[in-house]
Amino acid sequence: MIKNKWGRVPLVLLGFALFNTACAQNPPLTGQAFIAEERLVGNSTVLLNNASYLVPLQKLEELKIASVHFSNQYATVFDSLLNKYNKVDLYDGTTYSGNKTLANLTSDLKFYNTVIVQVNDADLSNPDLIDFISSNQKNKNVIVAAFGNGSVLGKLDVITAPVIWTERVSQVSAMYSAEAIFGGIGISQKLTKNYSPVYKTGMGFITDKTRLQYTVPEEAGINAANLQGIDKIAQEAIREHATPGCVVLVAKDGKVIFNKAYGYHTYDNVMPDKLTDIFDLASMTKVSATTMEAMQLTDQGKLSLEKTLGDYIPLARKSNKNDIQIREVLLHQAGLIPDIQSFEKVKPTDHSTDSSAAYPTKVSDHYYLRKDYYKDVMFPEMLSSPLKTRGQYVYSDVSMLFMQEVVENITAVPLNTYVQQHFYTPLGMQTAGFLPLYRFTPDRIIPTENDKEYRMSLLDGYVHDPTSALLGGVAGHAGLFGSANDVAILYQMVLNKGSYGGTQYFKPEVVDLFTSKQSPVSRRGLGFDRWDPIADRHYPSKLASDQTYGHTGFTGTCIWVDPKYNLVYIFLSNRVNPSVGSKLGSLNIRPRIQDVVYEAIAKGL
């Protein structure tokens, strides 16, 4: 029986610590002090028993992960960092004492295939814990995170599972070990002396950095004080009622150096914005879902930019859309109208307050659309719409509705299912996806407009865009929801030329093709918006380089990637709450915050 020698800590099963600070993981030290401690930690951290290359973890879509802690005083920060990379459920091992033993813990972990165990010297003095690790390593992926002097290793001689050991016991070492498990940091050290008959001089496995790291600005050559201007601009936005709240994230050189939440979900100031809040990304869907799938299908040779809508959409062959090239569609140069009619065209007989076989499409609370409305009304309107501006740049939601048809016809998989299975889940994006209310409670989702005309409700978890709403919330141009951290993961993958976490999602040349300027008549790439060469527009910001690509969203969001500076900038807000406003744009909130980042980069340390 295991004795309760560690002291009781409340059991946490449903979440992890949230830190609304400039650095996503609330580092205990700042600036150069943090970097100095991190260097000491890095020099004393060794990975052992990794012949099977379990560390860093890969194929996250196949893993169900639990983290078990005992007397590790820094378990909270360790576990919070784990949850930046993937969903990890947390277990307090000290509660398994008395009538409950570690055998009960093993039973409770039966549906997890990966278990991370935090231990120190005091923990390992109990032989039952060694037995717990030994028995679980036989049929699960087990990773041991060991903290303390070399005597820890002597007690782990019988363990064959990977061991990440560091002599340093601090919040920084807890962060470092957690990040190393997922490849946020690479491990490069080997044992410098013999610690036991098993662990000897020269032993140690080398790993590469493959995912985002979470650290202080100084780690990327930026003085944290020079980013304080972000606070002032964000607070100005809230004070001027440009948006009730927002989340800002900055990643440079593959490191998240700034992630902060401001304001509240709504102007009643009841629920503060959190780093993990889920936003309606609006037209960021165009690049974050539809274009991502188009890039992967292009990489696989299943989609050709030179082929036409008629090649992929049989119903388009007898329309004026038949000979429109995919390239034209992605460039918004196909002559397509900006949008089709939405709620104003819906007849009273087309919708109901209750769901049924005849009215299956849920648009919002108490609003259900009749079966096949898209097929009978919306898609025919798209097909019969005029082409008045072909060859010119006219931004069009209809373009991405057609691209949705194209990719779904190629794969025979709905857009939302494809991107979830091929991108979001494998990447470790925990909130990203369509139809968030199927997975999350409304309190985790930032509300948008109070629709008093058609849906007669506050839109919280239902897509703001009316056309997407009538499609049931899944559309090629809008409908995606996600957190800032999720967006950062996705676009770090793109900045990495298609690689993240040891997986290549598409080839570098495909990334270069889609994100570079492809139009002779506009600034656009394929699907992606880009830097505007007309200087007085300062788009997307005054200091962005000509390599910059990304997209904005109507709800008050943006993602911009600048390869010249190895930079990912994300701004998420709900400027349409409680009704659509223009102040976020007129005050230039998004570009001004972006310029603060560039100015801080220029100033350096």
Side-chain angles (χ1 to χ4, degrees):
M1 179 183 297
I2 190 166
K3 296 180 181 179
N4 187 10
K5 63 190 297 180
W6 298 287
R8 288 190 174 271
V9 180
L11 177 62
V12 181
L13 289 173
L14 298 178
F16 59 96
L18 307 175
F19 301 104
N20 279 354
T21 63
C23 293
Q25 65 294 333
N26 194 27
L29 302 171
T30 57
Q32 295 301 327
F34 179 92
I35 294 174
E37 172 63 15
E38 187 180 64
R39 188 174 295 115
L40 291 172
V41 171
N43 289 336
S44 73
T45 300
V46 181
L47 172 62
L48 303 160
N49 302 343
N50 199 45
S52 62
Y53 301 104
L54 178 61
V55 178
L57 290 172
Q58 299 184 49
K59 296 185 178 180
L60 301 184
E61 69 276 15
E62 298 178 3
L63 304 183
K64 186 167 174 53
I65 309 172
S67 174
V68 181
H69 70 270
F70 295 91
S71 64
N72 178 14
Q73 60 185 309
Y74 302 116
T76 298
V77 69
F78 181 91
D79 289 330
S80 73
L81 261 293
L82 293 180
N83 271 281
K84 296 286 186 186
Y85 297 98
N86 206 31
K87 184 178 186 297
V88 179
D89 293 329
L90 314 180
Y91 287 82
D92 178 0
T94 67
T95 62
Y96 291 84
S97 60
N99 292 331
K100 293 180 68 177
T101 68
L102 288 182
N104 296 109
L105 177 55
T106 296
S107 178
D108 289 346
L109 295 172
K110 68 179 179 181
F111 292 121
Y112 295 90
N113 58 18
T114 304
V115 178
I116 300 165
V117 186
Q118 306 165 52
V119 297
N120 57 29
D121 191 60
D123 299 336
L124 293 173
S125 65
N126 190 306
D128 287 348
L129 179 51
I130 300 294
D131 291 342
F132 168 78
I133 298 171
S134 297
S135 62
N136 277 280
Q137 71 185 7
K138 294 174 184 177
N139 55 10
K140 297 180 186 293
N141 297 324
V142 173
I143 300 170
V144 177
F147 302 91
N149 61 44
S151 63
V152 169
L153 290 182
K155 296 175 181 179
L156 291 171
D157 269 359
V158 299
I159 302 304
T160 58
V163 175
I164 297 177
W165 169 65
T166 179
E167 288 182 303
R168 309 285 299 181
V169 181
S170 66
Q171 288 194 32
V172 175
S173 68
M175 291 170 55
Y176 196 98
S177 295
E179 291 175 301
I181 288 171
F182 282 97
I185 287 176
I187 296 177
S188 60
Q189 300 301 306
K190 298 191 176 186
L191 296 179
T192 56
K193 63 180 181 179
N194 295 338
Y195 286 91
S196 76
V198 172
Y199 300 117
K200 299 181 178 181
T201 304
M203 293 182 67
F205 289 82
I206 309 302
T207 64
D208 294 325
K209 172 180 165 57
T210 60
R211 293 187 175 95
L212 283 168
Q213 178 186 355
Y214 298 84
T215 187
V216 294
E218 284 77 7
E219 184 80 45
I222 295 173
N223 188 326
N226 292 331
L227 293 173
Q228 290 176 357
I230 296 175
D231 292 349
K232 296 177 182 178
I233 299 169
Q235 289 158 3
E236 175 191 345
I238 295 164
R239 184 176 63 250
E240 296 295 327
H241 278 212
T243 179
C246 61
V247 174
V248 180
L249 186 148
V250 179
K252 187 176 187 319
D253 302 334
K255 304 166 184 176
V256 175
I257 58 170
F258 188 99
N259 190 195
K260 193 167 182 178
Y262 303 87
Y264 294 82
H265 283 206
T266 60
Y267 287 114
D268 60 13
N269 293 358
V270 171
M271 191 174 295
D273 274 19
K274 299 186 295 295
L275 299 182
T276 52
D277 279 339
I278 301 164
F279 287 78
D280 180 341
L281 300 179
S283 284
M284 281 173 58
T285 304
K286 292 180 172 72
V287 288
S288 306
T290 317
T291 300
M292 291 289 166
E293 181 170 355
M295 291 169 74
Q296 192 166 77
L297 295 176
T298 300
D299 181 66
Q300 295 169 352
K302 297 176 181 177
L303 174 67
S304 169
L305 300 175
E306 315 311 320
K307 286 191 175 181
T308 67
L309 291 181
D311 289 322
Y312 297 108
I313 307 174
L315 289 173
R317 292 168 190 163
K318 293 185 178 180
S319 76
N320 60 356
K321 313 299 185 300
N322 177 53
D323 66 344
I324 293 176
Q325 287 187 323
I326 300 303
R327 180 183 296 275
E328 294 178 87
V329 179
L330 288 168
L331 290 173
H332 296 272
Q333 291 176 202
L336 297 167
I337 58 175
D339 202 357
I340 56 174
Q341 289 181 291
S342 56
F343 283 101
E344 64 272 16
K345 192 171 183 176
V346 177
K347 301 174 183 177
T349 55
D350 289 331
H351 67 96
S352 169
T353 56
D354 295 313
S355 65
S356 65
Y359 295 91
T361 303
K362 190 171 187 178
V363 175
S364 61
D365 290 335
H366 311 299
Y367 194 117
Y368 295 86
L369 204 59
R370 72 170 173 84
K371 185 180 180 181
D372 292 335
Y373 182 82
Y374 169 73
K375 186 170 71 174
D376 295 342
V377 178
M378 300 175 75
F379 193 50
E381 184 178 349
M382 289 164 52
L383 288 172
S384 62
S385 62
L387 297 175
K388 296 181 178 179
T389 59
R390 192 168 181 182
Q392 302 173 37
Y393 169 62
V394 176
Y395 182 74
S396 169
D397 287 349
V398 175
S399 68
M400 285 299 175
L401 287 170
F402 273 117
M403 281 308 304
Q404 180 184 1
E405 287 286 335
V406 168
V407 297
E408 289 181 343
N409 281 339
I410 291 172
T411 64
V413 177
L415 172 67
N416 58 317
T417 303
Y418 184 96
V419 292
Q420 196 75 54
Q421 293 178 347
H422 290 259
F423 292 104
Y424 308 152
T425 301
L427 282 164
M429 298 166 65
Q430 298 173 58
T431 62
F434 294 82
L435 307 173
L437 289 173
Y438 285 95
R439 297 175 293 137
F440 304 101
T441 55
D443 62 292
R444 290 203 57 189
I445 308 169
I446 301 289
T448 54
E449 189 172 7
N450 187 4
D451 184 352
K452 297 180 179 180
E453 186 172 4
Y454 296 111
R455 288 172 273 187
M456 304 300 175
S457 62
L458 176 66
L459 304 176
D460 193 356
Y462 296 104
V463 63
H464 178 264
D465 181 88
T467 306
S468 177
L470 293 179
L471 269 76
V474 179
H477 70 290
L480 184 64
F481 287 72
S483 67
N485 191 62
D486 281 349
V487 177
I489 289 170
L490 183 65
Y491 285 93
Q492 187 63 46
M493 178 271 288
V494 180
L495 181 57
N496 291 349
K497 303 291 188 182
S499 176
Y500 194 84
T503 298
Q504 193 77 36
Y505 291 86
F506 23 67
K507 297 184 186 69
E509 50 265 37
V510 172
V511 175
D512 292 341
L513 174 66
F514 275 72
T515 60
S516 61
K517 187 178 186 298
Q518 293 293 318
S519 171
V521 299
S522 81
R523 64 181 182 242
R524 305 285 298 206
L526 295 167
F528 287 93
D529 199 359
R530 299 192 75 262
W531 172 84
D532 197 317
I534 300 176
D536 59 5
R537 290 181 179 170
H538 302 309
Y539 188 83
S541 80
K542 186 170 56 178
L543 300 176
S545 83
D546 59 3
Q547 299 176 30
T548 303
Y549 59 85
H551 217 283
T552 59
F554 185 79
T555 51
T557 62
C558 72
I559 167 65
W560 292 107
V561 178
D562 193 336
K564 180 179 178 179
Y565 295 96
N566 210 8
L567 183 69
V568 176
Y569 163 64
I570 297 158
F571 180 95
L572 304 182
S573 78
N574 56 329
R575 67 150 187 126
V576 296
N577 175 274
S579 58
V580 176
S582 60
K583 281 192 173 181
L584 194 76
S586 63
L587 293 173
N588 292 318
I589 298 299
R590 287 171 286 190
R592 285 167 57 204
I593 289 177
Q594 192 172 356
D595 280 335
V596 169
V597 178
Y598 285 112
E599 289 164 356
I601 292 171
K603 291 175 183 175
L605 293 171

